[in-house]
Amino acid sequence: MSSTRVLLLGVLLDGPLHGYEVRRRLELMGTQHWANVAYGSIYHGLGKMADEGLLDRMEEGKGGKTLYAITDVGRAEFGRHLLSHWWEIKPIVDPFQVAITFMDRLSPAELASAMEARAAQLQFAIGMTERAIGGKQAYGAPRHIDECLRLNILQLKAQLAWVDGAAEKVKNGELP
């Protein structure tokens, strides 16, 4: 089961919601910082899970007005997959690693420029994410949601440290 499906089921644990409300809850959790949830796929995912018996359509409507509730089967499925996300280590799919794999296809000047730009973007993302900590609680997010942001900050900082070290190696002719 994809992480998006687990997120959708998890959001519905507290009670029935319309698709738009599901999206707002995901935004409140800050999933745009740490999960690859395409907001346009929320409605499709909700409909598909209803067809699979994981959700009930409580009220039918157009434009996100269908009200969804999690079924007992959906709760059981959520619980199984939530625990598997804790116990199983899966590869982190990051397109940046594709870029690293083919860094030798760039000229040293292009690579140095790309690394400098990436470092600046990482520093910006770290700052923005640090400022978000605590702010979501004012809108009803539970305290532990900040832990997702803290983990994201650590991952960004690790990538920044790598970029800084690799940029120095490029500068010294040690990479690629």
Side-chain angles (χ1 to χ4, degrees):
M1 176 176 279
S2 75
S3 294
T4 299
R5 289 169 59 99
V6 173
L7 284 165
L8 295 177
L9 290 172
V11 166
L12 290 165
L13 288 173
D14 294 329
L17 297 170
H18 296 99
Y20 177 76
E21 294 168 315
V22 169
R23 177 182 173 167
R24 297 286 298 167
R25 296 264 175 104
L26 292 174
E27 289 171 346
L28 181 62
M29 292 177 189
T31 58
Q32 68 274 18
H33 297 290
W34 46 266
N36 190 17
V37 178
Y39 291 122
S41 68
I42 290 172
Y43 300 100
H44 173 75
L46 292 169
K48 186 165 174 43
M49 287 191 295
D51 293 344
E52 294 169 6
L54 301 174
L55 302 176
D56 278 332
R57 290 180 179 95
M58 305 299 288
E59 295 174 10
E60 293 286 336
K62 294 183 180 180
K65 295 295 182 189
T66 302
L67 186 67
Y68 293 95
I70 192 168
T71 64
D72 290 339
V73 173
R75 284 180 189 280
E77 192 77 1
F78 169 81
R80 275 193 300 281
H81 290 285
L82 178 63
L83 284 174
S84 78
H85 284 359
W86 276 100
W87 285 84
E88 296 174 17
I89 296 176
K90 297 189 179 193
I92 297 171
V93 178
D94 184 355
F96 180 54
Q97 291 197 324
V98 174
I100 294 169
T101 301
F102 294 107
M103 72 167 64
D104 63 331
R105 306 304 168 103
L106 298 173
S107 71
E110 289 173 317
L111 183 56
S113 176
M115 288 179 153
E116 184 179 310
R118 185 153 193 103
Q121 290 176 1
L122 287 164
Q123 289 167 343
F124 178 78
I126 290 166
M128 291 294 292
T129 308
E130 286 174 340
R131 285 189 288 283
I133 291 178
K136 296 191 174 294
Q137 291 174 32
Y139 298 97
R143 285 187 319 226
H144 67 272
I145 294 302
D146 284 348
E147 294 309 310
C148 294
L149 297 174
R150 286 185 182 93
L151 178 58
N152 187 246
I153 289 166
L154 290 173
Q155 291 168 331
L156 292 168
K157 285 182 176 180
Q159 193 176 121
L160 179 59
W162 180 87
V163 168
D164 288 344
E168 190 63 30
K169 290 177 182 178
V170 169
K171 184 177 169 183
N172 296 334
E174 300 168 33
L175 273 179

